[in-house]
Amino acid sequence: MNILVTGTAGFIGYHLAERLLARGDRVIGVDNVNDYYDVALKEARLDRLRRHPGFVEVREDIANRDAMAALFRQYEPERVVHLAAQAGVRYSLENPHAYADSNLVGFLNVLEGCRHHRVQHLVYASSSSVYGANESMPFSVHDNVDHPLSLYAASKKANELMAHTYSHLYQLPTTGLRFFTVYGPWGRPDMAMFKFTRNILAGEPIDVYNHGHHKRDFTYIDDIVEGVVRTLDRVAAPNPDWRGEAPDPSSSRAPYRLYNIGSNNPVALARFIEIIEQVTGREAIRNYLPMQPGDVPATYADIDDLTADTGYRPETSVEEGVARFVEWYRDFYGV
């Protein structure tokens, strides 16, 4: 297929593009390669994608309306996976306008491109952060998510609402995936896995927020990509059982679906650090801190719907996943 993937210089986008190219799809990869984190790492990912004859690189900002319209006209993608976004909960406290530009304006440009060019299916990245103040565990796509705790989370909730509107008005099939703490090789330097490994190997302290009492549904990148591909291949359809008097947030009379995509196995942050220590053979110097604004104490994904509809089952244990990441990190950075 001819598939547009936004955010191909990013962590998940890079891995997804690799997988789609390996199975024979043509990938039009869009990324503005901004400096939110190490540009050299982004360029290294793109260098690997450029080796594939089926990869077309487009260096553009998704917030640029005219450029995105031209891109859809030129390449006419059959399906779209939208992963480009301004990421990070804590950064949204410092630079909120970046989230409006990328996550709202950029997403609208993608929706408009899909609408006008009759894209068969749009799969887009939402986030576990949309659960916000919800405390009922595991988090379910059938629960309302009306109390976000950060602008990042609010922007992802807005994406789900925007997608539903386009599914309803234009019969555009859309599927939103709420990612839960993705980690693995080629990961993001602003995430805990990367920071912990870097500092532990360097003999420097690690900041442990909420005094180590966090729990996260850590999900290995290969499992995430498997779920994205399965979802992409299963075009969203209307739910014939949906009723307005008792509306289910996860589906609609329109061709619209929401899924959690996680490991369904929350791990205490303290245990996660212990595993990194075991794999690296180094002891962490812990700097315990209170929970940060916008953060949540725990995440835990109910993935029953995704499993029932696509057969998705995460297979990588956190011990195996951490070992693979540390091996990649040591090789990539020569430490």
Side-chain angles (χ1 to χ4, degrees):
M1 288 185 291
N2 204 32
I3 301 174
L4 171 64
V5 179
T6 69
T8 41
F11 175 32
I12 301 175
Y14 156 70
H15 280 279
L16 175 65
E18 283 270 23
R19 172 69 180 276
L20 294 174
L21 290 162
R23 77 174 192 177
D25 292 317
R26 182 191 190 211
V27 173
I28 300 99
V30 183
D31 205 297
N32 68 350
V33 195
N34 65 30
D35 61 359
Y36 170 65
Y37 62 79
D38 184 16
V39 171
L41 177 59
K42 295 182 179 185
E43 293 287 3
R45 294 176 185 140
L46 289 172
D47 282 344
R48 293 172 65 89
L49 292 177
R50 293 186 192 108
R51 300 172 189 175
H52 296 271
F55 180 67
V56 178
E57 181 183 356
V58 179
R59 193 161 296 208
E60 191 53 76
D61 191 334
I62 60 169
N64 185 327
R65 184 196 305 184
D66 292 339
M68 291 300 290
L71 184 152
F72 273 90
R73 282 195 303 271
Q74 179 176 354
Y75 295 105
E76 297 185 335
E78 298 165 71
R79 300 188 183 181
V80 174
V81 184
H82 176 57
L83 302 172
Q86 179 56 62
V89 169
R90 285 183 278 276
Y91 187 64
S92 68
L93 304 178
E94 305 166 16
N95 193 359
H97 291 286
Y99 292 76
D101 293 341
S102 183
N103 300 7
L104 300 180
V105 175
F107 188 56
L108 178 59
N109 291 337
V110 170
L111 286 169
E112 279 288 279
C114 292
R115 166 198 172 189
H116 289 294
H117 295 273
R118 301 189 180 280
V119 166
Q120 299 169 3
H121 193 195
L122 166 63
V123 175
Y124 63 94
S126 186
S127 168
S128 62
S129 67
V130 300
Y131 289 102
N134 288 24
E135 294 182 356
S136 177
M137 298 280 179
F139 291 143
S140 170
V141 290
H142 302 288
D143 295 336
N144 285 319
V145 287
D146 293 331
H147 298 86
L149 299 180
S150 69
L151 185 64
Y152 170 69
S155 72
K156 289 298 184 179
K157 166 69 172 178
N159 286 171
E160 296 176 359
L161 298 173
M162 294 163 72
H164 182 267
T165 302
Y166 273 67
S167 293
H168 169 73
L169 291 174
Y170 309 114
Q171 294 303 298
L172 169 66
T174 67
T175 299
L177 296 175
R178 294 173 176 171
F179 293 114
F180 279 70
T181 317
V182 188
Y183 75 100
W186 297 96
R188 278 171 34 200
D190 62 321
M191 297 191 73
M193 170 87 259
F194 204 109
K195 289 179 177 178
F196 290 166
T197 300
R198 178 183 60 211
N199 286 21
I200 289 171
L201 288 174
E204 298 174 358
I206 61 172
D207 289 337
V208 184
Y209 292 101
N210 197 26
H211 303 282
H213 300 308
H214 277 320
K215 285 189 176 182
R216 288 291 181 266
D217 203 334
F218 292 103
T219 315
Y220 189 66
I221 184 60
D222 289 1
D223 292 328
I224 286 287
V225 168
E226 179 66 27
V228 175
V229 171
R230 285 174 180 258
T231 305
L232 179 65
D233 291 343
R234 186 182 189 277
V235 178
N239 178 3
D241 298 322
W242 194 89
R243 296 292 179 267
E245 63 269 19
D248 178 357
S250 72
S251 63
S252 172
R253 292 193 185 99
Y256 170 86
R257 283 290 189 276
L258 288 174
Y259 295 109
N260 287 333
I261 181 165
S263 67
N264 190 230
N265 180 35
V267 175
L269 189 62
R271 172 58 184 155
F272 193 66
I273 295 169
E274 288 175 1
I275 296 169
I276 300 173
E277 290 177 316
Q278 292 166 7
V279 172
T280 59
R282 308 279 183 89
E283 185 174 349
I285 305 167
R286 294 164 172 80
N287 178 31
Y288 289 108
L289 297 167
M291 191 159 71
Q292 288 195 311
D295 213 345
V296 296
T299 63
Y300 179 7
D302 177 343
I303 60 171
D304 288 352
D305 284 35
L306 186 59
T307 298
D309 288 350
T310 70
Y312 169 79
R313 293 187 184 279
E315 298 179 349
T316 310
S317 69
V318 68
E319 290 81 8
E320 183 181 0
V322 168
R324 290 179 187 174
F325 173 81
V326 172
E327 180 183 12
W328 168 82
Y329 183 93
R330 282 179 151 156
D331 178 65
F332 186 76
Y333 290 102
V335 294

